[in-house]
Amino acid sequence: MRHVRPRIKTVIARAYDLTTTPPGPEDLVEVEPGVHIPRYQTMPSVDPTESSRRFFARLPESFDLRGKRVLDVGCGSGDLCIAMAQLGARAVVGVEVTEPRYAWATLHNTDPDLPVEFFGSGGDLKSLDLEPFDVVVSKDSFEHYGAQPGSPAAAEMVRDMAHLLVPGGLLVIGFGPTWKAPFGGHINTKMPYAQLLFPEEVIFDEFRRSRPPGKTARTFEEGVGINRMTLARFRQIMAASGLECVWMGTNRGDHPAYKVMRTLAHVPGLTEYMTQNIYGIWRVPLDRESPAVASSAAVA
């Protein structure tokens, strides 16, 4: 019997190999003297301006940033920060954990008339000495919180983001795909649900084979930095946060596939597998004193 499993694994591995697509280029390019970033970050699959437009289009039309002080947690290249300033935000702060992305965001902020600034962070929002915000935004980041060892878990990140808001302030979250969505594994594959159908061992054997030497990842957390966030788990985290849900929607978008998934998500047993993305707005209760405000008062 001990020879059966290797044979089965070989067959499964060959089947998985047929579903994969070449990974994006990981070599570093110099975008500024002394500043190097992965090449794929200079050639995103979705135009950054279009990505920002989609984000706002998936929120309620009543959502308004004019005159607001806004924090973007996990700002990436900073394009959403710039878009929010252009939409009338009074001040926008972008925080990024990854040093190359922070450098890239700084280079992106070329308009001195826009009220945008960027900060690098080790992932601990409590360490940031910032004035409280009217709005905190988390775009395409929630599925990554807590994936890497030592990084704050998703529930902790929600608490820390809420602590940076004024009473009545809004926490805006949008991300996808969720773990059980068709391509929720964030891996280079053409097969829907590959992350659920194929053994993790097989997936990351192929992952290491197709990457440059030195890649040792054996799990989704290590390899693609995702925390396997499901709709049910997300709801549990937000229900326990103490924040008031203003609005929440799933499968947001104008692509025909989203309409189909919204319909199928109502079928018992299919909800998790037919939830591509999650968008929502939560409010800090007005009777809760913001720790950021309390800290400022203590210093004064």
Side-chain angles (χ1 to χ4, degrees):
M1 289 293 292
R2 65 181 181 180
H3 296 296
V4 173
R5 186 177 181 276
R7 290 177 182 174
I8 294 176
K9 180 183 175 182
T10 299
V11 172
I12 294 174
R14 287 177 178 172
Y16 178 71
D17 185 58
L18 293 175
T19 76
T20 59
T21 57
E26 296 189 358
D27 58 304
L28 298 179
V29 295
E30 189 171 41
V31 295
E32 186 83 352
V35 178
H36 297 79
I37 65 172
R39 186 179 298 277
Y40 69 84
Q41 291 186 17
T42 68
M43 39 192 284
S45 57
V46 179
D47 177 71
T49 302
E50 174 62 14
S51 177
S52 297
R53 185 202 67 78
R54 288 183 188 177
F55 180 77
F56 294 118
R58 292 172 179 178
L59 296 173
E61 291 184 7
S62 58
F63 180 64
D64 190 359
L65 289 169
R66 287 176 294 183
K68 301 293 195 305
R69 177 172 161 79
V70 185
L71 173 67
D72 182 1
V73 178
C75 66
S77 61
D79 297 284
L80 186 67
C81 293
I82 294 172
M84 291 190 291
Q86 292 171 337
L87 287 173
R90 172 170 55 89
V92 181
V93 174
V95 174
E96 177 53 47
V97 173
T98 309
E99 180 61 32
R101 290 181 179 175
Y102 163 64
W104 188 235
T106 303
L107 291 173
H108 263 53
N109 187 26
T110 57
D111 188 342
D113 295 326
L114 289 177
V116 178
E117 58 181 330
F118 298 101
F119 290 91
S121 166
D124 183 7
L125 294 180
K126 296 187 294 294
S127 66
L128 298 175
D129 184 18
L130 298 171
E131 293 295 318
F133 295 87
D134 302 301
V135 179
V136 172
V137 175
S138 171
K139 173 182 178 290
D140 296 332
S141 297
F142 206 93
E143 70 271 43
H144 301 292
Y145 295 150
Q148 299 297 335
S151 63
E156 183 180 353
M157 284 296 293
V158 170
R159 183 174 64 249
D160 291 346
M161 289 188 289
H163 283 185
L164 289 170
L165 284 163
V166 299
L170 301 178
L171 174 59
V172 181
I173 297 173
F175 71 99
T178 59
W179 169 244
K180 293 184 178 180
F183 296 96
H186 293 241
I187 49 181
N188 300 309
T189 179
K190 296 172 287 187
M191 176 175 284
Y193 305 106
Q195 76 279 10
L196 305 177
L197 296 172
F198 290 96
E200 192 168 19
E201 180 184 1
V202 168
I203 291 173
F204 284 95
D205 281 349
E206 171 64 21
F207 180 91
R208 293 190 302 277
R209 187 188 68 77
S210 63
R211 261 67 177 184
K215 296 290 184 178
T216 60
R218 297 184 179 277
T219 66
F220 283 95
E221 287 81 2
E222 296 173 346
V224 287
I226 59 171
N227 57 21
R228 311 182 197 225
M229 185 60 60
T230 63
L231 174 61
R233 184 177 161 209
F234 178 78
R235 283 175 167 162
Q236 290 172 352
I237 290 172
M238 299 313 298
S241 69
L243 301 175
E244 302 169 351
C245 183
V246 176
W247 170 88
M248 179 177 151
T250 58
N251 290 319
R252 302 291 293 173
D254 51 13
H255 192 282
Y258 289 122
K259 183 176 181 179
V260 174
M261 294 183 77
R262 282 194 292 268
T263 300
L264 292 176
H266 292 292
V267 177
L270 292 185
T271 302
E272 287 284 4
Y273 304 97
M274 290 294 153
T275 298
Q276 174 69 12
N277 59 42
I278 302 172
Y279 283 75
I281 301 174
W282 288 262
R283 179 185 291 117
V284 175
L286 288 169
D287 58 358
R288 192 212 76 177
E289 183 178 18
S290 167
V293 173
S295 299
S296 299
V299 172

